[in-house]
Amino acid sequence: MAIHPSELAIVQPKAVPQGTPDYEKKRASILEAFAAKVPPELRLSPKITADPPKDVSQIPITCGILTPAEINITEKYDAVGLAEAIAARKLSAVEVATAFSKRAIIAHQMTCCLTQWFMDDAIKRAQELDKYLEKNGKTIGPLHGVPISIKEHMPIAGTYSSQGSLASTVFDEKDCLLVSMLRSMGAVFYCKTNQPQTIMHLETTSHYGRSLCPFNIDLSAGGSSGGEAALVAMKGSVLGVGTDIGGSIRGPAAFCGIYGYKSTSYMLPMKNFLGHAFSAELNILCRQVRLYELHVKHTLTSFTYI
């Protein structure tokens, strides 16, 4: 069982092809920077990563990292339920952000679904939202406190974006239009997800590694939104944003047993995405059909056509 050449063990049944020494040095530095953000208490036991079962979908429940409350939050609620529970103060945004950030990093160690993970930023944002609700007695918007995962090529201020290759990696100075809109509605961002080189394959292998199907890690999670599909299937996200030209949402959704939908051309905003010249369309991956209404309705309401 091969793992990435970093301090964080990531399950990879088949080793990713190697590049030149210079390429591998750059790749290792990125993986090490990722690993440095993951505290020891959120790392899976070497016994699990060295000899995982084929079906790793239950590892987040059985590994002992999540508390019973965090298991309940990530297992029992969808995005609509989370928004309602936070608005009613049955859950805090911090509790929700913590639970999904932790489950996401567990999912990553099993399926290589992430490219970036920023739990600290998510909790800081969640704290601001909790204070807003406490002070004003109302939510900031319909997605107040809802954690949303984002595909790698969609800019989030303060993170990196790419088209699935080292050479295309850039630092995001500001949010893309969609992220800005979701943020204004109260969304909390905590991770970005894996995609293949050039975002143009029906599997997901990049310099971060190969994304795996949670229900059989000998199989692919599909692509190009394979990281999102694996994360959602592992219940590390209730709502993941992907893109689709010829099956890049629908394929991974089918591979991982979740819902995926390609929207009508130019229906949803893709301004400032990397690779935006491609005729891809934006939509979400999720485990409940009703989330399409939540996402599309509020996005269209917020989007001013020019």
Side-chain angles (χ1 to χ4, degrees):
M1 183 70 65
I3 62 172
H4 284 158
S6 71
E7 299 173 4
L8 184 66
I10 309 296
V11 173
Q12 294 281 260
K14 183 179 180 180
V16 175
Q18 299 291 292
T20 65
D22 183 57
Y23 174 90
E24 289 303 321
K25 182 179 179 180
K26 292 177 181 177
R27 178 171 175 264
S29 69
I30 290 175
L31 298 177
E32 288 164 7
F34 187 121
K37 295 182 178 181
V38 184
E41 63 270 20
L42 298 186
R43 296 177 182 229
L44 291 169
S45 164
K47 293 181 180 179
I48 297 175
T49 54
D51 187 24
K54 279 197 175 184
D55 183 342
V56 299
S57 61
Q58 298 304 302
I59 294 295
I61 297 174
T62 61
C63 68
I65 292 176
L66 299 178
T67 67
E70 289 164 347
I71 291 173
N72 184 65
I73 289 170
T74 53
E75 287 278 324
K76 304 300 183 182
Y77 291 88
D78 66 2
V80 173
L82 287 173
E84 292 173 348
I86 293 170
R89 305 190 194 187
K90 294 178 181 178
L91 294 172
S92 71
V94 168
E95 288 175 318
V96 173
T98 300
F100 279 95
S101 294
K102 289 173 68 174
R103 188 147 184 161
I105 200 61
I106 296 168
H108 177 59
Q109 291 169 78
M110 288 285 96
T111 65
C112 193
C113 55
L114 305 184
T115 60
Q116 293 169 74
W117 180 75
F118 29 96
M119 180 177 180
D120 290 347
D121 292 345
I123 292 175
K124 181 179 178 181
R125 166 67 168 164
Q127 289 171 336
E128 294 170 353
L129 291 170
D130 284 337
K131 289 178 181 177
Y132 181 94
L133 180 58
E134 179 67 27
K135 179 180 179 180
N136 297 282
K138 62 179 181 179
T139 61
I140 201 169
L143 297 177
H144 186 107
V146 175
I148 294 180
S149 51
I150 298 289
K151 192 174 178 180
E152 165 78 359
H153 71 117
M154 305 176 189
I156 299 176
T159 71
Y160 290 88
S161 293
S162 80
Q163 296 183 55
S165 64
L166 279 172
S168 64
T169 302
V170 295
F171 181 74
D172 302 326
E173 297 287 351
K174 62 180 182 179
D175 294 337
C176 64
L177 177 59
L178 175 72
V179 167
S180 177
M181 291 163 57
L182 295 174
R183 195 187 296 277
S184 72
M185 290 185 252
V188 174
F189 304 107
Y190 61 110
C191 64
K192 297 183 82 170
T193 56
N194 203 9
Q195 62 190 17
Q197 193 174 61
T198 71
I199 332 174
M200 289 288 287
H201 301 278
L202 289 175
E203 57 81 48
T204 297
T205 301
S206 72
H207 49 290
Y208 290 97
R210 180 180 291 107
S211 295
L212 310 174
C213 174
F215 305 109
N216 185 342
I217 58 171
D218 287 338
L219 303 178
S220 170
S224 64
S225 304
E228 281 295 343
L231 180 63
V232 171
M234 288 287 282
K235 300 181 181 177
S237 174
V238 287
L239 194 159
V241 183
T243 46
D244 189 316
I245 298 177
S248 284
I249 287 176
R250 293 162 289 168
F255 280 35
C256 294
I258 59 174
Y259 291 104
Y261 170 70
K262 179 183 179 183
S263 57
T264 301
S265 296
Y266 307 111
M267 179 180 177
L268 298 172
M270 293 182 60
K271 185 177 181 180
N272 303 126
F273 286 14
L274 269 67
H276 63 276
F278 299 141
S279 58
E281 301 306 329
L282 159 74
N283 219 304
I284 62 169
L285 297 94
C286 57
R287 297 189 307 278
Q288 296 84 12
V289 174
R290 71 172 180 166
L291 299 193
Y292 282 99
E293 180 180 2
L294 173 76
H295 175 254
V296 174
K297 179 177 73 174
H298 291 304
T299 302
L300 289 178
T301 300
S302 301
F303 184 41
T304 302
Y305 288 88
I306 298 176

